[in-house]
Amino acid sequence: MFGKLIYVEKNVTIKGYKNIEISTKCKIFQGTILDATNGKIILSNNVTICVNSIINSAGGYISIDSGTTVGDLCNLYGQGGLKIGKNIIDSINSL
């Protein structure tokens, strides 16, 4: 399921798109990998995924709430389930 006004730059890889929900006004920048081949990824409204980040459900789930920014080069894996709250800024080496 995909919302309105989604911005996706070139060189973004999306795997398992049927298991990915992207809400309104999300931005996904170049080099990012969204992999929900085995699990689920949910991006709420106004989520930004910055350059060269990896969001991999890894058999579980990743849910990122509204207004959150995942910074450059972040790697998030959801094998045990990962939920990130509203208006969070996650940067490299922080998780």
Side-chain angles (χ1 to χ4, degrees), residues 5-40:
L5 303 172
I6 298 170
Y7 175 78
V8 179
E9 283 192 340
K10 63 183 179 180
N11 298 323
V12 169
T13 301
I14 297 177
K15 298 178 181 178
Y17 70 91
K18 291 181 180 180
N19 299 324
I20 298 174
E21 295 179 21
I22 301 176
S23 297
T24 301
K25 295 185 179 178
C26 289
K27 297 180 215 80
I28 304 170
F29 290 96
Q30 67 181 347
T32 293
I33 298 170
L34 298 178
D35 187 349
T37 304
N38 297 307
K40 187 165 188 133

Side-chain angles (χ1 to χ4, degrees), residues 1-3 9 13-16 20 32 52-53 62 64 76 79 81-82 85 89-90 92:
M1 179 171 75
F2 298 97
E9 283 192 340
T13 301
I14 297 177
K15 298 178 181 178
I20 298 174
T32 293
N52 295 322
S53 292
I62 296 176
I64 303 175
L76 304 178
Q79 64 268 28
L82 174 63
I89 297 176
D90 176 31
I92 190 170

